[in-house]
PDB file of all heavy atoms in Angstrom:
ATOM      1  N   ASN A   1     120.854 132.652 164.932  1.00  0.00           N
ATOM      2  CA  ASN A   1     122.037 133.291 165.471  1.00  0.00           C
ATOM      3  C   ASN A   1     122.123 134.725 164.972  1.00  0.00           C
ATOM      4  O   ASN A   1     121.535 135.050 163.925  1.00  0.00           O
ATOM      5  CB  ASN A   1     123.315 132.532 165.112  1.00  0.00           C
ATOM      6  CG  ASN A   1     124.545 133.008 165.867  1.00  0.00           C
ATOM      7  OD1 ASN A   1     125.144 133.961 165.473  1.00  0.00           O
ATOM      8  ND2 ASN A   1     124.834 132.355 166.971  1.00  0.00           N
ATOM      9  N   PHE A   2     122.803 135.597 165.697  1.00  0.00           N
ATOM     10  CA  PHE A   2     122.757 137.050 165.361  1.00  0.00           C
ATOM     11  C   PHE A   2     123.480 137.382 164.077  1.00  0.00           C
ATOM     12  O   PHE A   2     123.291 138.506 163.601  1.00  0.00           O
ATOM     13  CB  PHE A   2     123.290 137.860 166.543  1.00  0.00           C
ATOM     14  CG  PHE A   2     124.783 137.806 166.726  1.00  0.00           C
ATOM     15  CD1 PHE A   2     125.611 138.770 166.204  1.00  0.00           C
ATOM     16  CD2 PHE A   2     125.364 136.755 167.412  1.00  0.00           C
ATOM     17  CE1 PHE A   2     126.993 138.708 166.373  1.00  0.00           C
ATOM     18  CE2 PHE A   2     126.717 136.681 167.581  1.00  0.00           C
ATOM     19  CZ  PHE A   2     127.544 137.668 167.059  1.00  0.00           C
ATOM     20  N   THR A   3     124.270 136.492 163.527  1.00  0.00           N
ATOM     21  CA  THR A   3     124.896 136.734 162.213  1.00  0.00           C
ATOM     22  C   THR A   3     124.375 135.807 161.160  1.00  0.00           C
ATOM     23  O   THR A   3     124.903 135.720 160.058  1.00  0.00           O
ATOM     24  CB  THR A   3     126.410 136.627 162.296  1.00  0.00           C
ATOM     25  OG1 THR A   3     126.743 135.312 162.786  1.00  0.00           O
ATOM     26  CG2 THR A   3     127.009 137.673 163.195  1.00  0.00           C
ATOM     27  N   GLY A   4     123.305 135.032 161.462  1.00  0.00           N
ATOM     28  CA  GLY A   4     122.708 134.159 160.488  1.00  0.00           C
ATOM     29  C   GLY A   4     123.463 132.883 160.266  1.00  0.00           C
ATOM     30  O   GLY A   4     123.309 132.245 159.170  1.00  0.00           O
ATOM     31  N   LYS A   5     124.278 132.410 161.226  1.00  0.00           N
ATOM     32  CA  LYS A   5     125.047 131.195 161.057  1.00  0.00           C
ATOM     33  C   LYS A   5     124.214 129.929 161.265  1.00  0.00           C
ATOM     34  O   LYS A   5     124.649 128.814 161.037  1.00  0.00           O
ATOM     35  CB  LYS A   5     126.230 131.193 162.027  1.00  0.00           C
ATOM     36  CG  LYS A   5     127.203 132.332 161.854  1.00  0.00           C
ATOM     37  CD  LYS A   5     127.931 132.268 160.521  1.00  0.00           C
ATOM     38  CE  LYS A   5     128.929 133.419 160.426  1.00  0.00           C
ATOM     39  NZ  LYS A   5     129.632 133.426 159.112  1.00  0.00           N
ATOM     40  N   GLY A   6     122.984 130.121 161.786  1.00  0.00           N
ATOM     41  CA  GLY A   6     122.136 128.969 162.048  1.00  0.00           C
ATOM     42  C   GLY A   6     122.284 128.475 163.459  1.00  0.00           C
ATOM     43  O   GLY A   6     123.176 128.915 164.210  1.00  0.00           O
ATOM     44  N   GLY A   7     121.453 127.530 163.851  1.00  0.00           N
ATOM     45  CA  GLY A   7     121.504 126.971 165.211  1.00  0.00           C
ATOM     46  C   GLY A   7     120.536 125.804 165.381  1.00  0.00           C
ATOM     47  O   GLY A   7     119.698 125.527 164.519  1.00  0.00           O
ATOM     48  N   ALA A   8     120.704 125.117 166.478  1.00  0.00           N
ATOM     49  CA  ALA A   8     119.887 123.941 166.760  1.00  0.00           C
ATOM     50  C   ALA A   8     118.549 124.336 167.393  1.00  0.00           C
ATOM     51  O   ALA A   8     118.458 125.330 168.112  1.00  0.00           O
ATOM     52  CB  ALA A   8     120.633 122.998 167.713  1.00  0.00           C
ATOM     53  N   LEU A   9     117.505 123.553 167.064  1.00  0.00           N
ATOM     54  CA  LEU A   9     116.177 123.723 167.670  1.00  0.00           C
ATOM     55  C   LEU A   9     115.842 122.468 168.462  1.00  0.00           C
ATOM     56  O   LEU A   9     116.701 121.612 168.703  1.00  0.00           O
ATOM     57  CB  LEU A   9     115.151 124.020 166.590  1.00  0.00           C
ATOM     58  CG  LEU A   9     115.418 125.268 165.729  1.00  0.00           C
ATOM     59  CD1 LEU A   9     114.373 125.336 164.610  1.00  0.00           C
ATOM     60  CD2 LEU A   9     115.437 126.518 166.573  1.00  0.00           C
ATOM     61  N   THR A  10     114.610 122.291 168.819  1.00  0.00           N
ATOM     62  CA  THR A  10     114.204 121.140 169.619  1.00  0.00           C
ATOM     63  C   THR A  10     113.991 119.890 168.772  1.00  0.00           C
ATOM     64  O   THR A  10     113.664 120.021 167.575  1.00  0.00           O
ATOM     65  CB  THR A  10     112.930 121.446 170.392  1.00  0.00           C
ATOM     66  OG1 THR A  10     111.887 121.791 169.446  1.00  0.00           O
ATOM     67  CG2 THR A  10     113.151 122.633 171.334  1.00  0.00           C
ATOM     68  N   ARG A  11     114.184 118.720 169.323  1.00  0.00           N
ATOM     69  CA  ARG A  11     113.842 117.442 168.743  1.00  0.00           C
ATOM     70  C   ARG A  11     114.491 117.210 167.392  1.00  0.00           C
ATOM     71  O   ARG A  11     113.840 116.761 166.441  1.00  0.00           O
ATOM     72  CB  ARG A  11     112.326 117.292 168.654  1.00  0.00           C
ATOM     73  CG  ARG A  11     111.640 117.350 169.989  1.00  0.00           C
ATOM     74  CD  ARG A  11     110.125 117.144 169.890  1.00  0.00           C
ATOM     75  NE  ARG A  11     109.495 117.204 171.185  1.00  0.00           N
ATOM     76  CZ  ARG A  11     108.166 117.049 171.400  1.00  0.00           C
ATOM     77  NH1 ARG A  11     107.376 116.853 170.342  1.00  0.00           N
ATOM     78  NH2 ARG A  11     107.665 117.113 172.607  1.00  0.00           N
ATOM     79  N   GLY A  12     115.744 117.558 167.262  1.00  0.00           N
ATOM     80  CA  GLY A  12     116.495 117.303 166.051  1.00  0.00           C
ATOM     81  C   GLY A  12     116.275 118.329 164.939  1.00  0.00           C
ATOM     82  O   GLY A  12     116.900 118.213 163.873  1.00  0.00           O
ATOM     83  N   LYS A  13     115.472 119.317 165.164  1.00  0.00           N
ATOM     84  CA  LYS A  13     115.254 120.365 164.160  1.00  0.00           C
ATOM     85  C   LYS A  13     116.359 121.398 164.254  1.00  0.00           C
ATOM     86  O   LYS A  13     117.098 121.452 165.250  1.00  0.00           O
ATOM     87  CB  LYS A  13     113.886 121.013 164.362  1.00  0.00           C
ATOM     88  CG  LYS A  13     112.713 120.045 164.281  1.00  0.00           C
ATOM     89  CD  LYS A  13     111.426 120.737 164.644  1.00  0.00           C
ATOM     90  CE  LYS A  13     110.270 119.750 164.656  1.00  0.00           C
ATOM     91  NZ  LYS A  13     109.002 120.403 165.063  1.00  0.00           N
ATOM     92  N   TYR A  14     116.476 122.196 163.255  1.00  0.00           N
ATOM     93  CA  TYR A  14     117.527 123.221 163.229  1.00  0.00           C
ATOM     94  C   TYR A  14     117.127 124.391 162.336  1.00  0.00           C
ATOM     95  O   TYR A  14     116.321 124.241 161.431  1.00  0.00           O
ATOM     96  CB  TYR A  14     118.844 122.616 162.741  1.00  0.00           C
ATOM     97  CG  TYR A  14     118.776 122.079 161.321  1.00  0.00           C
ATOM     98  CD1 TYR A  14     119.087 122.868 160.227  1.00  0.00           C
ATOM     99  CD2 TYR A  14     118.384 120.764 161.103  1.00  0.00           C
ATOM    100  CE1 TYR A  14     119.019 122.373 158.923  1.00  0.00           C
ATOM    101  CE2 TYR A  14     118.301 120.252 159.823  1.00  0.00           C
ATOM    102  CZ  TYR A  14     118.613 121.057 158.748  1.00  0.00           C
ATOM    103  OH  TYR A  14     118.530 120.540 157.448  1.00  0.00           O
ATOM    104  N   ALA A  15     117.695 125.541 162.616  1.00  0.00           N
ATOM    105  CA  ALA A  15     117.572 126.727 161.765  1.00  0.00           C
ATOM    106  C   ALA A  15     118.797 126.749 160.871  1.00  0.00           C
ATOM    107  O   ALA A  15     119.916 126.832 161.344  1.00  0.00           O
ATOM    108  CB  ALA A  15     117.507 127.976 162.615  1.00  0.00           C
ATOM    109  N   PRO A  16     118.639 126.653 159.555  1.00  0.00           N
ATOM    110  CA  PRO A  16     119.787 126.567 158.672  1.00  0.00           C
ATOM    111  C   PRO A  16     120.592 127.876 158.606  1.00  0.00           C
ATOM    112  O   PRO A  16     120.052 128.956 158.939  1.00  0.00           O
ATOM    113  CB  PRO A  16     119.148 126.263 157.321  1.00  0.00           C
ATOM    114  CG  PRO A  16     117.745 126.850 157.397  1.00  0.00           C
ATOM    115  CD  PRO A  16     117.347 126.642 158.825  1.00  0.00           C
ATOM    116  N   SER A  17     121.823 127.746 158.223  1.00  0.00           N
ATOM    117  CA  SER A  17     122.677 128.927 158.024  1.00  0.00           C
ATOM    118  C   SER A  17     122.125 129.748 156.844  1.00  0.00           C
ATOM    119  O   SER A  17     121.629 129.207 155.872  1.00  0.00           O
ATOM    120  CB  SER A  17     124.093 128.485 157.746  1.00  0.00           C
ATOM    121  OG  SER A  17     124.893 129.590 157.344  1.00  0.00           O
ATOM    122  N   LEU A  18     122.216 131.065 156.986  1.00  0.00           N
ATOM    123  CA  LEU A  18     121.753 131.974 155.934  1.00  0.00           C
ATOM    124  C   LEU A  18     122.907 132.512 155.104  1.00  0.00           C
ATOM    125  O   LEU A  18     122.699 133.368 154.247  1.00  0.00           O
ATOM    126  CB  LEU A  18     120.979 133.122 156.555  1.00  0.00           C
ATOM    127  CG  LEU A  18     119.743 132.734 157.370  1.00  0.00           C
ATOM    128  CD1 LEU A  18     119.097 133.953 157.963  1.00  0.00           C
ATOM    129  CD2 LEU A  18     118.753 131.941 156.531  1.00  0.00           C
ATOM    130  N   GLU A  19     124.117 132.033 155.347  1.00  0.00           N
ATOM    131  CA  GLU A  19     125.269 132.487 154.628  1.00  0.00           C
ATOM    132  C   GLU A  19     125.273 131.922 153.216  1.00  0.00           C
ATOM    133  O   GLU A  19     125.145 130.706 153.016  1.00  0.00           O
ATOM    134  CB  GLU A  19     126.569 132.062 155.354  1.00  0.00           C
ATOM    135  CG  GLU A  19     127.805 132.673 154.766  1.00  0.00           C
ATOM    136  CD  GLU A  19     129.021 132.376 155.597  1.00  0.00           C
ATOM    137  OE1 GLU A  19     128.910 131.588 156.568  1.00  0.00           O
ATOM    138  OE2 GLU A  19     130.105 132.917 155.285  1.00  0.00           O
ATOM    139  N   GLY A  20     125.368 132.806 152.234  1.00  0.00           N
ATOM    140  CA  GLY A  20     125.384 132.367 150.827  1.00  0.00           C
ATOM    141  C   GLY A  20     124.035 132.025 150.231  1.00  0.00           C
ATOM    142  O   GLY A  20     123.936 131.574 149.110  1.00  0.00           O
ATOM    143  N   VAL A  21     122.944 132.240 151.002  1.00  0.00           N
ATOM    144  CA  VAL A  21     121.590 131.930 150.484  1.00  0.00           C
ATOM    145  C   VAL A  21     121.168 133.051 149.548  1.00  0.00           C
ATOM    146  O   VAL A  21     121.403 134.249 149.785  1.00  0.00           O
ATOM    147  CB  VAL A  21     120.596 131.807 151.663  1.00  0.00           C
ATOM    148  CG1 VAL A  21     119.198 131.552 151.130  1.00  0.00           C
ATOM    149  CG2 VAL A  21     121.044 130.678 152.579  1.00  0.00           C
ATOM    150  N   ASP A  22     120.523 132.686 148.450  1.00  0.00           N
ATOM    151  CA  ASP A  22     120.034 133.638 147.485  1.00  0.00           C
ATOM    152  C   ASP A  22     119.073 134.629 148.161  1.00  0.00           C
ATOM    153  O   ASP A  22     118.149 134.205 148.884  1.00  0.00           O
ATOM    154  CB  ASP A  22     119.297 132.900 146.352  1.00  0.00           C
ATOM    155  CG  ASP A  22     118.973 133.786 145.172  1.00  0.00           C
ATOM    156  OD1 ASP A  22     118.562 134.943 145.402  1.00  0.00           O
ATOM    157  OD2 ASP A  22     119.096 133.325 144.017  1.00  0.00           O
ATOM    158  N   PRO A  23     119.256 135.938 147.973  1.00  0.00           N
ATOM    159  CA  PRO A  23     118.349 136.904 148.623  1.00  0.00           C
ATOM    160  C   PRO A  23     116.882 136.665 148.275  1.00  0.00           C
ATOM    161  O   PRO A  23     116.008 136.913 149.126  1.00  0.00           O
ATOM    162  CB  PRO A  23     118.823 138.235 148.039  1.00  0.00           C
ATOM    163  CG  PRO A  23     120.269 138.024 147.700  1.00  0.00           C
ATOM    164  CD  PRO A  23     120.352 136.597 147.243  1.00  0.00           C
ATOM    165  N   LYS A  24     116.598 136.172 147.088  1.00  0.00           N
ATOM    166  CA  LYS A  24     115.192 135.921 146.717  1.00  0.00           C
ATOM    167  C   LYS A  24     114.630 134.814 147.627  1.00  0.00           C
ATOM    168  O   LYS A  24     113.484 134.899 148.076  1.00  0.00           O
ATOM    169  CB  LYS A  24     115.099 135.469 145.281  1.00  0.00           C
ATOM    170  CG  LYS A  24     113.672 135.164 144.821  1.00  0.00           C
ATOM    171  CD  LYS A  24     113.577 134.806 143.366  1.00  0.00           C
ATOM    172  CE  LYS A  24     114.075 133.413 143.074  1.00  0.00           C
ATOM    173  NZ  LYS A  24     113.736 132.950 141.720  1.00  0.00           N
ATOM    174  N   HIS A  25     115.427 133.802 147.942  1.00  0.00           N
ATOM    175  CA  HIS A  25     114.951 132.727 148.786  1.00  0.00           C
ATOM    176  C   HIS A  25     114.766 133.182 150.215  1.00  0.00           C
ATOM    177  O   HIS A  25     113.850 132.718 150.913  1.00  0.00           O
ATOM    178  CB  HIS A  25     115.945 131.554 148.740  1.00  0.00           C
ATOM    179  CG  HIS A  25     116.009 130.917 147.391  1.00  0.00           C
ATOM    180  ND1 HIS A  25     117.104 130.178 146.945  1.00  0.00           N
ATOM    181  CD2 HIS A  25     115.145 130.930 146.323  1.00  0.00           C
ATOM    182  CE1 HIS A  25     116.919 129.767 145.728  1.00  0.00           C
ATOM    183  NE2 HIS A  25     115.721 130.204 145.330  1.00  0.00           N
TER     184      HIS A  25
END
């Protein structure tokens, strides 16, 4: 998503939210 909130992918996969994630990670 354009603000890093995450979103659904195919076959039950997903892109996780990037909010609050350590910059190193």
